[in-house]
Amino acid sequence: MKDSPSPAFAQLANAFTRRRSNHDRKLPPGPEGLPLLGSMVDVRTDALSMFERGRREHGDTVRYRFGPFDMVAIHRPQDIRTVLLERADDFHKSPTYQGLELVVGKGLLTSEDQFWRRQRKLMTPAFHHKRLLGFCDHMVRCSTELADEWDELVANHRGAQLPIVDLHTQLLSLTFRIVGLTLFSTELSDKAGDMGPALATVLEHANHLAVSMLLVPPPWVPTPRNLRFKAAMQVVDDVVQGIITERRNSREDTGDLLSMLMAATDETGQIRMSDRELRDEVATLVLAGHETTAQALTWTFMLLSRHPVIERRVVAEIRAVCGDRPPSMEDLAALDYTGRVIDEAMRLYPPAWLIERQALVDLELDGYSIPAGTLVAISPWTIHRHPAHWPNPEGFDPDRFLPETVAARPRYTYLPFGGGPRQCIGVNFALYEAKLVLATLLQRFSVELVSGQDLSLEAAVTLRPAHGMKMWLRSRA
Ligand code: HEM
């Protein structure tokens, strides 16, 4: 049988054809970049600065060339609304999500059209407010156990200085555990054995693919990197399959998301999700559900450590609302300032720093032609710093999120969770979790940035500290 060209190859060929027919259209302005490569080197070395510089120098609609691909970054709220909401059906996720797809398959994050609609409908009830409230106990218990571990660390610490933890790693483990317990009633870290390092390898590879714009050897070429990824993926797959098989064998309905997915049928009431489909959704939720929230929390702690006055105000609120008992779901509404601090941290450090689409049809945005096939970039990093909507954009000021101030700003100027039909399904899950974790840990500890460390950013699938985040731990007891 004749091999058909790979999707990446077909995309390259299409991109060349489109490039030839672009001369008679009004295309957005943008940097020339290097011959042939365009802005490829810039996006790989410092994408955040590239997008900021592009907006400053060329305006709200900027065209970048990446080899054969054209990418248009948009910043006007009305255009973002068009792409994410009004004409959402005229876009697919961009091919740069293919790296992620190697990891999560065709789960909710990466699937399209009919299949995506079915899965989204199926999963939405699992994220209903009432159900989420039931998860709050797990969130607090896991955070309390981490605080207990920190207590022990402080108690056993010898030496003149305070004990140090890598807060980023610790928060990744914490949110990983919470997702396992809440959505799959599973202690992932027990089952996982080697899952932690394997997941880190898998994620690192997905990140690598995302920033390399697909111009890397395809997965079947046995490069050391591809082989490492394959081995790690096998470990992750075995764990996920183990969870599914165990649940199938026990026939127990625990009422969690996995039970809902297993019980769901199509319109005929006959066809259930295959093990492969279940695996993709489980992997998607484990990944999407822990990475992002851990980044949001890490950046929040970093900002609080740099802004002691704001930190004192958060701690005072936690004391006033919870006293000495651990926070609970009843406190969520009253932890109002804490919520604004998290919102503002996600403005400055949006965990999902780039949302990408590919146009399926020719269209116009901001008076410019956007030919079918163009990649459209929506960068919360840049949009959240747009001086037209955010005075003193680099300043950390949680009161930007007072209700009356929010009401006065146009929508689609703040989009840490995206927007339109593909908006994050876990938005409330994440916000409840972030509040409860922050309140539980801050109630008992203050964390201070260890001085002199390299806090460079890594803008991969999520926005993370490139070298972890070391913090001195000080018990409030
Ligand atoms: C602070 C934490 C989080 C942030 C910043 C975040 C951000 C986002 C963003 C921006 C999108 C849209 C991507 C796009 O349009 O291309 C998204 C989608 C998604 N998120 Fe989140 N997320 C967070 C937490 C969570 C949690 C806790 C879960 C699950 C437990 C989750 C599950 C998902 C899923 C499944 C999708 C795909 C939805 C769809 O396409 O229907 N996320 N997230």
Side-chain angles (χ1 to χ4, degrees), residues 19 78 84 134 169 202 242 280 283 297 303 305 341 346-347 370-371 374 383 402 406 410 423 435 446 461 463:
R19 171 64 55 77
Q78 61 269 47
L84 292 183
T169 313
V202 161
D280 289 352
L297 281 161
L303 286 161
S305 160
V341 164
M346 285 196 294
R347 181 185 70 80
I370 308 290
T374 306
I383 292 158
L402 282 167
V406 172
Q423 170 168 305
K435 248 189 199 180
S446 80
V461 175
L463 186 65

Side-chain angles (χ1 to χ4, degrees), residues 32 43 62 82 107 145 166 199 238 286 308 326 351 377 380 391 443 467:
E32 256 315 296
V43 79
V62 191
T82 302
E145 284 170 18
D166 181 345
L199 201 68
D238 287 349
V286 169
Q443 189 183 41
H467 308 286

Side-chain angles (χ1 to χ4, degrees), residues 16-301:
F16 276 120
T17 315
R18 280 193 309 274
R19 171 64 55 77
R20 278 205 303 275
S21 63
N22 276 348
H23 66 276
D24 52 345
R25 310 179 200 241
K26 188 183 174 209
L27 298 174
E32 256 315 296
L34 300 169
L36 292 174
L37 293 175
S39 300
M40 186 73 84
V41 176
D42 287 346
V43 79
R44 290 184 69 160
T45 49
D46 189 355
L48 300 175
S49 305
M50 183 197 83
F51 280 119
E52 272 197 283
R53 200 171 48 246
R55 194 206 57 76
R56 231 181 12 250
E57 292 176 3
H58 300 282
D60 276 343
T61 309
V62 191
R63 173 169 161 254
Y64 299 91
R65 292 183 307 105
F66 298 124
F69 297 101
D70 269 2
M71 175 187 268
V72 172
I74 57 173
H75 300 87
R76 300 191 324 156
Q78 61 269 47
D79 295 331
I80 297 169
R81 184 186 158 90
T82 302
V83 173
L84 292 183
L85 178 69
E86 285 159 3
R87 299 194 58 177
D89 287 347
D90 290 332
F91 292 88
H92 271 176
K93 296 269 172 125
S94 120
T96 47
Y97 281 77
Q98 280 171 14
L100 206 55
E101 205 174 304
L102 281 181
V103 181
V104 298
K106 293 269 180 222
L108 201 58
L109 197 59
T110 42
S111 57
E112 299 286 1
D113 303 325
Q114 198 72 4
F115 183 69
W116 166 78
R117 250 184 291 280
R118 180 192 107 154
Q119 298 297 85
R120 176 93 190 195
K121 203 164 150 200
L122 216 101
M123 288 197 217
T124 297
F127 292 89
H128 189 272
H129 169 73
K130 279 208 187 98
R131 203 172 252 272
L132 292 182
L133 289 181
F135 295 160
C136 289
D137 284 350
H138 285 302
M139 294 171 180
V140 173
R141 185 168 56 79
C142 293
S143 314
T144 303
E145 284 170 18
L146 178 60
D148 293 344
E149 278 173 35
W150 285 1
D151 262 340
E152 230 172 280
L153 197 70
V154 171
N156 295 331
H157 182 71
R158 304 276 167 266
Q161 286 203 317
L162 296 167
I164 293 177
V165 289
D166 181 345
L167 190 69
H168 183 234
T169 313
Q170 300 234 324
L171 291 171
L172 277 169
S173 307
L174 176 64
T175 53
F176 180 58
R177 193 171 168 221
I178 291 174
V179 153
L181 282 172
T182 49
L183 299 183
F184 312 113
S185 316
T186 298
E187 191 68 75
L188 286 172
S189 38
D190 281 359
K191 288 199 182 303
D194 299 332
M195 175 122 166
L199 201 68
T201 306
V202 161
L203 268 178
E204 190 277 329
H205 190 67
N207 283 335
H208 168 75
L209 294 173
V211 292
S212 56
M213 305 289 297
L214 305 179
L215 298 180
V216 287
W220 45 265
V221 178
T223 60
R225 167 176 274 289
N226 280 346
L227 291 174
R228 227 175 20 249
F229 167 72
K230 219 170 145 194
M233 201 58 230
Q234 188 63 50
V235 176
V236 175
D237 268 346
D238 287 349
V239 173
V240 173
Q241 188 56 51
I243 297 173
I244 295 170
T245 310
E246 198 174 289
R247 187 68 64 83
R248 281 216 197 280
N249 292 342
S250 77
R251 293 173 188 278
E252 190 189 350
D253 182 353
T254 54
D256 63 8
L257 182 76
L258 187 57
S259 294
M260 286 171 72
L261 292 176
M262 285 181 149
T265 53
D266 72 348
E267 311 75 58
T268 65
Q270 300 291 316
I271 301 173
R272 288 179 192 272
M273 282 172 75
S274 67
D275 270 14
R276 177 74 214 180
E277 289 166 353
L278 278 171
R279 176 251 168 242
D280 289 352
E281 296 304 357
V282 171
T284 296
L285 289 165
V286 169
L287 249 193
H290 92 281
E291 260 273 318
T292 39
T293 317
Q295 315 305 354
L297 281 161
T298 304
W299 298 119
T300 306
F301 276 109

Side-chain angles (χ1 to χ4, degrees), residues 309-310 313-314 317 334-342 398-399:
V309 175
I310 297 178
R313 200 169 149 196
V314 180
E317 178 180 84
L335 290 170
D336 180 41
Y337 187 66
T338 310
R340 295 210 290 281
V341 164
I342 295 163
D399 286 341

Side-chain angles (χ1 to χ4, degrees), residues 411-432:
R411 267 189 58 64
Y412 293 95
T413 50
Y414 180 67
L415 50 155
F417 295 100
R422 305 288 310 235
Q423 170 168 305
C424 178
I425 199 170
V427 47
N428 287 328
F429 185 114
L431 291 175
Y432 294 178

